[in-house]
Structure formats: structure tokens, C-alpha cells
Amino acid sequence: MRSFFSLLLILAASRLFAQQTKKDSIVKRDTINIHGYVYDEAGKPVKYIELRSSQKYIDFDRVNITTRTDTSGHFTLEGVKFNDTLTVEENILYASKPVYNEGSRFLIIYLPFAALKDVNQKGQMIISAKRTRAKTVPSFIRKSSNDPYCPFIGLHLAPRYKSGNERFIQLVNQQVHYPTKAVENNIEGTVQIAFKVEKDGTPTGFKVLKGVGYGCEEEVINSIKNSGTWIPGIENGRLVVMEQTVSVEFKLTDK
């Protein structure tokens, strides 16, 4: 009987030691928490789709950190790498693509629709019948056109800054300042802003695709607004409203 109680005491002491050891262990990793939304090409939220980080769970080092979007397309990933690659699960409706994140705490991800595939894509189905009339070669009359845009059919030019995109980059570098709150809170990462270039060259419709907060997004948007007008995009020889994006990395140094 005494040996039995001794065994119980040893087991209880071992369990207590294991719990204290697990509780007291400290794991340090350079990680961040990010959140955002997943939309399709039409701007509708993608529900219940899985996003996977390349980062592993601390307690399960063989399992990647994963999450799923809710009904509004919102997702949250906690404890992932500062520079990380997110993978969207395979889906018959959307084309899967890797999403590269460089320190952003907020992401908007747009998934392109998957290309439609035949059920019988591995083998063509042929329906045949015997011809009852001789095969004829179709003919047509070529007509000239007075449309002044005809020579530019197929011409596609993206919007560009009036003094050149290199000059625009210089202006952004000169005008954007690292917000004091971001510096004080040790905030780093990439900010990506999307905006439309109207037919008159005015930048409008600003939206944040990647963000880190603390005023960084506002700095980039204000620099774009203050840069002046752009040369609008061209589609088939005609001026059209096109979207452009700008990415700015906010990075702190130790010296």
C-alpha cells in the first residue's frame, strides 16, 4: 500500500513539473497579426475560403497557420511571419494564387474567376453526320471606314504620370513622411493604394489594398493627390478610366 501511494505522489509531482515547465516556457518569434477581406473580380465577398500562411503553429510545428473568411469575406491571421506568403485554397470558382505580404497588417485580396473547363477536356466528343450539300467557301466585301480611331484598334496604354513615372516616384519619396505614431509603435510594412485615373487625368477613388495603420495610408494618399494630374489610359484609341496602384514600403532602421 505504501508503494502505491508513493507511485501516486511521483506521478502527481511529474505532472505538476510538466505543467510548470510548459507554462514558464517563452517562445519569441518575429510575427504580426493581419486581417482583411477577400473579394472576387466583381467585388463580391468570397465566403468560407481558406487562407494558409507559410508560418507553422507554435504548439504544432507541422501544421501551417490557417483561417477561413466569414460571410463578409473578412479574415484574421494571428502570429504569422512579417514577410509571408499566403496561399488561397483550390476552388472550382476562383483561380488560386499566392499572396505575398511584406509586413502589411491589412490586406484586400481579389481572386480572379477560374477559367471554365469542359467536363470532357481530356477527350473530345465528336458528333458526325454525312454531308448532303457541297461545301461552300464564304465570301465578304471589305468596306473602308472613316472612323478616326480605326488605326488604333487594339492599342492599350496604362495611365502614366504627366512628367514620367520616375518623376512621380521621386515626388512620393519627397512628400511622404513616416508618421510619428507609427515610429513610436515600431510599425513597419508595405502600403498599397489603388486609385482611378479619370479621362481628364484626375486621380480619384482612392482605396487601401494593403495597410499598416497609424497614418501611413493617409500619407501615401495625400502624396498622390498633391502630385497633380496624370495622362489617362487608352483602350482601342479612346480615353478610358483606368485603375492604377502605388506601393510604398515603410521600414525602420536600427541606426
Side-chain angles (χ1 to χ4, degrees):
M1 181 67 69
R2 182 176 299 176
S3 61
F4 175 73
F5 283 112
S6 299
L7 179 60
L8 289 179
L9 288 174
I10 293 173
L11 290 175
S14 299
R15 180 174 297 178
L16 179 61
F17 176 76
Q19 290 176 348
Q20 290 178 343
T21 302
K22 184 177 181 180
K23 181 179 180 180
D24 296 338
S25 62
I26 299 176
V27 179
K28 293 184 177 181
R29 296 195 305 191
D30 185 15
T31 61
I32 59 174
N33 299 332
I34 64 174
H35 72 102
Y37 293 87
V38 180
Y39 299 110
D40 61 21
E41 288 182 353
K44 295 183 179 180
V46 179
K47 306 176 183 178
Y48 312 125
I49 197 164
E50 182 184 275
L51 285 86
R52 177 176 298 179
S53 167
S54 61
Q55 177 70 41
K56 309 287 186 180
Y57 285 103
I58 295 178
D59 296 330
F60 305 96
D61 57 2
R62 294 185 179 181
V63 180
N64 294 73
I65 297 176
T66 59
T67 188
R68 283 190 179 274
T69 58
D70 60 16
T71 54
S72 66
H74 184 264
F75 70 91
T76 301
L77 282 167
E78 298 181 350
V80 296
K81 295 179 181 179
F82 186 83
N83 294 320
D84 198 3
T85 300
L86 307 181
T87 305
V88 182
E89 72 173 334
E90 293 288 340
N91 189 293
I92 60 173
L93 297 178
Y94 309 103
S96 178
K97 67 172 186 177
V99 180
Y100 305 103
N101 185 39
E102 298 177 349
S104 298
R105 271 87 170 167
F106 176 77
L107 296 173
I108 291 183
I109 301 172
Y110 288 95
L111 293 182
F113 291 118
L116 296 177
K117 298 180 180 179
D118 288 341
V119 175
N120 61 313
Q121 58 180 323
K122 293 184 178 180
Q124 184 180 4
M125 292 187 294
I126 300 176
I127 307 300
S128 61
K130 186 176 181 181
R131 193 190 307 277
T132 59
R133 294 183 180 180
K135 185 177 180 179
T136 59
V137 178
S139 62
F140 63 95
I141 300 175
R142 179 179 297 171
K143 295 183 179 181
S144 60
S145 174
N146 295 323
D147 188 348
Y149 294 101
C150 250
F152 302 100
I153 293 297
L155 178 63
H156 176 93
L157 292 176
R160 56 203 185 280
Y161 188 59
K162 58 184 179 182
S163 302
N165 289 349
E166 292 184 358
R167 176 56 180 162
F168 173 74
I169 294 173
Q170 292 176 354
L171 289 175
V172 172
N173 285 330
Q174 293 171 2
Q175 296 177 6
V176 173
H177 300 285
Y178 218 122
T180 302
K181 290 184 178 180
V183 176
E184 293 174 348
N185 288 274
N186 206 32
I187 298 299
E188 298 180 276
T190 299
V191 170
Q192 186 178 44
I193 303 298
F195 61 96
K196 295 179 181 178
V197 177
E198 300 291 337
K199 294 181 181 181
D200 63 357
T202 305
T204 62
F206 297 90
K207 58 183 178 182
V208 178
L209 299 184
K210 294 182 180 180
V212 295
Y214 293 87
C216 295
E217 294 82 7
E218 288 79 3
E219 281 286 328
V220 178
I221 291 175
N222 288 334
S223 70
I224 299 172
K225 290 180 178 179
N226 295 331
S227 65
T229 58
W230 288 58
I231 299 175
I234 296 177
E235 186 70 50
N236 288 337
R238 300 178 184 274
L239 298 179
V240 294
V241 178
M242 285 190 187
E243 193 170 74
Q244 184 65 274
T245 60
V246 174
S247 296
V248 177
E249 181 181 4
F250 288 82
K251 187 174 183 179
L252 297 172
T253 60
D254 296 323
K255 294 182 180 180

